[in-house]
Every structure is written in structure tokens, then in C-alpha cells.
Amino acid sequence: MANLDLRATVADVSAQLERDGYVIVERVLTADEVAEKKADLHRILEATKTGRNDFEGFATQRIYALYAKTRAFDAPATHPLVLGVLDNALGSYQLSAPQAIQIGPGETAQNLHRDDGVYPVARPRPELVVNTMWALDDFTEPNGATHVIPGSHKWVDRTPAPGDDVVQAVMPAGSLMFFVGSVFHGGGANTTNRPRLGVILEYVASWLRQQENQYLAVPPEIVLSLPPRLQELLGYNIHGNLIGNVDGRHPIKAITR
Ligand SMILES: O=C(O)CCC(=O)C(=O)O
């Protein structure tokens, strides 16, 4: 399916996400924004080790605890298009696994997986997870553009098999891919001599536990300096009047000095 651009409405993006399990919106970030974010992430990548197993990628660097280390993805996390699509897909949600992923030269393809596979809830079920991938380099077939199996989010009891239609999320730097937690996908092999940098901001329904523990990942003094909507997305929210309360009160009060 053709990539969309910023003329696409929330309804357009949501419809394609629901149908295919993923959708790409090109050039959501300007070239200047991409350059600025890349520069900040490169500062952190200098001190970031490569992965410890095949899933993380032995030639791939991952910046975990992203919101403790950079302010470059504060605005993208609450981009109106992102929030609109997430409102439709999940209703009430929070960040689950924000991380930068730099796939290095020589990396092999990651196994195809579902991001919501960590939650033991029987299928079919409503989506629990929506992921966003912000491309900071051009994503190409040879440099490891994410592999996706369109439509696989609707599979109830099958897994990928040889012959399945696997596409790659080819998109220019600054583009944004949405993909639901139930769609099979994985990082591609990088056969070029340059790294491929992207940032994944994964969101999960706010009644579920976040994949990375943001309360410990992001120091309270940083959380308190952030806009309220981002604080909520980092986990300082209450779902359904009760889930997430601290001593009967809103969790942000527990760290407010
Ligand atoms: O970097 C990518 O293209 C996707 C990575 C991914 O799916 C993961 O690490 O779970």
C-alpha cells in the first residue's frame, strides 16, 4: 500500500492501520528536525553498547530509558497525528518501550514477532499495543527497513511461514510508521556500510504494565520538568478512577515536592 503524507487525516491513517496492521506517513519531521534529533542521539550512541542476543542484535545499538537521556522525542510522543490515531486504536494508553534502534552494518534480520506477544491474553482480542517507528535515516531495503507482514494482525492461530508476503517499510528520513502490536514484523538485515537509525515509541493500553519500567527509568526530577500530557504518557496517569493511584491520589502527587 502506498505511503501517506501529512495531508492524511487521522481517519485515513486509522483506516489503513486497521486494514493492513501498519501504515507509513512520510516526512512528518522536517530535515532540520531529523538532523537535530540525530545529533542528540549520536551523542548517546557513542556510549551505547551493541545488543546482547540475536533479538537485540549483535550489531545493533539500543538506547533504553530514552526519556532519561534526551528531550528529542518529547514532542513526537504527543504529535497530534499520533495522539489522534492512538485515541482511535487504544482509547487510553501510555508509553511502553521508548527506545532508539541503530541497526549497524552486517546485522542480520530479526525474527518476525508481535510486540503484544508479551501479554498473555487470548486472541482474537482488541489491540493492546500500538507502536510508532520514527525514521531518522532513509529506511531502505538494504539498510534494514523494518519487515512487516501486512494483514498478519488478523491471524488468530498461525505464525509466519515461508511464502508469506513480507514487505519492508521503505520510507525517507523523518517518516513515521504506525504498526499495531499484533502485526508480525522485525528489524531487517543491514547489508550496507552505514547504520540505520530509528526511534520506536511503543504505546500500551494504560491498564497494562509498561514493557520498560518508566517510573525507575526516568528520574522524578526529569518527569516533573515535562509537560503534563507527557507525564501521563510516562505512566503518571489513572485509568478508570483506580488503576495507577498512589495512596488514593494521582501518582504525579507522589513525586511532587
Ligand atoms: O528496528 C526495527 O526495524 C524493528 C525492531 C523491532 O521490531 C524490535 O526490536 O522489536
Side-chain angles (χ1 to χ4, degrees):
M1 179 46 63
N3 293 352
L4 303 179
D5 62 29
L6 266 180
R7 287 170 300 182
T9 63
V10 167
D12 297 333
V13 176
S14 296
Q16 201 164 313
L17 183 64
E18 154 60 22
R19 190 191 60 211
D20 298 338
Y22 80 105
V23 55
I24 293 170
V25 186
E26 291 195 348
R27 296 190 173 88
V28 176
L29 300 175
T30 64
D32 285 350
E33 287 169 334
V34 168
E36 183 194 314
K37 290 176 195 323
K38 266 181 95 163
D40 201 30
L41 293 183
H42 281 154
R43 167 185 66 80
I44 306 165
L45 285 166
E46 275 172 25
T48 303
K49 294 192 168 75
T50 47
R52 297 156 292 188
N53 53 53
D54 207 37
F55 188 83
E56 284 188 322
F58 291 112
T60 293
Q61 292 167 282
R62 289 172 187 263
I63 304 175
Y64 293 106
L66 191 72
Y67 284 92
K69 299 173 183 170
T70 175
R71 303 275 55 84
F73 279 84
D74 290 2
T78 56
H79 190 289
L81 181 63
V82 171
L83 296 186
V85 172
L86 283 157
D87 286 348
N88 285 342
L90 297 179
S92 147
Y93 48 88
Q94 58 195 344
L95 283 159
S96 178
Q99 65 180 264
I101 302 179
Q102 176 153 274
I103 299 185
E107 184 59 87
T108 54
Q110 190 184 39
N111 76 310
L112 297 171
H113 60 279
R114 287 172 146 157
D115 284 337
D116 67 3
V118 295
Y119 298 109
V121 182
R123 299 174 206 275
R125 66 192 192 200
E127 288 298 341
L128 305 176
V129 169
V130 173
N131 214 330
T132 58
M133 165 65 92
W134 293 85
L136 294 181
D137 285 312
D138 291 342
F139 274 34
T140 66
E141 288 187 4
N143 79 2
T146 315
H147 292 188
V148 183
I149 305 185
S152 58
H153 59 307
K154 303 212 163 133
W155 295 353
V156 174
D157 50 17
R158 64 158 293 200
T159 52
D164 283 336
D165 176 30
V166 181
V167 300
Q168 281 191 266
V170 172
M171 52 183 165
S175 300
L176 167 62
M177 174 171 65
F178 292 86
F179 53 110
V180 292
S182 52
V183 80
F184 278 96
H185 71 282
N190 187 346
T191 58
T192 73
N193 57 9
R194 298 170 70 89
R196 187 230 72 180
L197 181 59
V199 166
I200 270 187
L201 301 183
E202 179 179 327
Y203 301 79
V204 67
S206 49
W207 50 273
L208 277 170
R209 189 161 183 209
Q210 294 153 297
Q211 208 180 103
E212 183 183 35
N213 186 324
Q214 300 300 314
Y215 309 108
L216 295 174
V218 188
E221 57 274 18
I222 292 182
V223 173
L224 289 171
S225 73
L226 301 176
R229 188 70 181 102
L230 189 52
Q231 293 174 341
E232 286 171 8
L233 288 175
L234 285 171
Y236 295 81
N237 63 70
I238 295 197
H239 178 85
N241 294 328
L242 283 175
I243 298 176
N245 85 83
V246 177
D247 204 7
R249 300 194 309 159
H250 192 281
I252 200 69
K253 296 206 169 105
I255 61 166
T256 304
R257 316 264 173 248

